[in-house]
Amino acid sequence: MKRGSNIFIVLLSFFGGSLITYFTLQFSYFKINSEVNVVETLLSVITALIGLYIAISIQKKNNRNQSLHSIVQTKMDNVWNEFSAFDHRLYNQNTIQLKIATKTFKSLYQELNNIKIVFRTFNINHTCIDVLEQSMED
C-alpha cells in the first residue's frame, strides 16, 4: 500500500509539473516593470518602519509585564512560604516562642518591603501591600 501511494505522489507531481510548464510556455515573455514609483516606495518603507516600531513597543511592554509577573510571583511565594511555615508551627505547637515570632515577622516585613519596592519601581499602586502590613501589625 505504501508503494502504491508513492507511485501516486510521483505521478501527481509529474502531471502537476507538466501542467505548470505548459501554462508558462504559453507566454513568450513575462513582462517585468523596471520602473520604481518613488511615492509608493517611500510610503511602503514608512509603513514598514511604523509597523516595526509598533511590534517592538508591544514586545517590550510584554517583556516588562512578564518580568514584573515573575519577580512579584517569586516574592509573593516567599511571603506565602513564611506565612505557611509560621501557621504550621503555631498549629502544631499551640504556642510559639517570642524569638521565633519576632524573627518570622521581621522576615515577612522585609519580604513585603521588597515587594513594595518592586511595585514602586514599576509604578504600580502598592496600597494592597500597605493594607497587608497594617493587618500584620494588628
Side-chain angles (χ1 to χ4, degrees):
M1 182 126 189
K2 187 174 183 180
R3 182 172 168 82
S5 64
N6 287 342
I7 292 173
F8 178 72
I9 291 173
V10 168
L11 287 175
L12 186 64
S13 299
F14 173 75
F15 286 120
S18 299
L19 192 62
I20 290 172
T21 304
Y22 172 75
F23 283 123
T24 56
L25 290 177
Q26 295 301 314
F27 301 100
S28 59
Y29 298 106
F30 286 111
K31 294 182 181 181
I32 299 174
N33 188 0
S34 61
E35 296 176 5
V36 176
N37 188 342
V38 177
V39 175
E40 288 179 5
T41 304
L42 285 176
L43 286 175
S44 297
V45 168
I46 291 171
T47 303
L49 290 175
I50 289 172
L52 185 64
Y53 173 76
I54 290 171
I56 290 172
S57 298
I58 290 172
Q59 187 63 36
K60 281 183 182 179
K61 185 176 181 181
N62 191 16
N63 288 343
R64 179 179 178 260
N65 289 339
Q66 267 185 332
S67 297
L68 172 65
H69 182 264
S70 69
I71 291 170
V72 169
Q73 182 180 7
T74 303
K75 299 289 183 190
M76 290 302 288
D77 283 344
N78 292 340
V79 170
W80 181 254
N81 290 336
E82 287 281 338
F83 272 125
S84 295
F86 182 77
D87 180 55
H88 183 68
R89 194 176 300 134
L90 186 61
Y91 179 77
N92 286 337
Q93 298 173 358
N94 282 341
T95 60
I96 197 158
Q97 294 176 354
L98 182 61
K99 182 180 176 181
I100 293 173
T102 305
K103 181 181 174 186
T104 302
F105 279 103
K106 278 185 181 179
S107 176
L108 287 172
Y109 278 121
Q110 182 62 39
E111 289 294 335
L112 287 176
N113 191 34
N114 290 339
I115 293 172
K116 191 187 290 188
I117 290 169
V118 170
F119 275 48
R120 283 185 191 145
T121 302
F122 286 100
N123 295 323
I124 298 174
N125 186 359
H126 55 83
T127 56
C128 59
I129 305 299
D130 295 334
V131 169
L132 187 57
E133 284 179 337
Q134 185 62 39
S135 296
M136 282 177 54
E137 288 177 14
D138 292 344

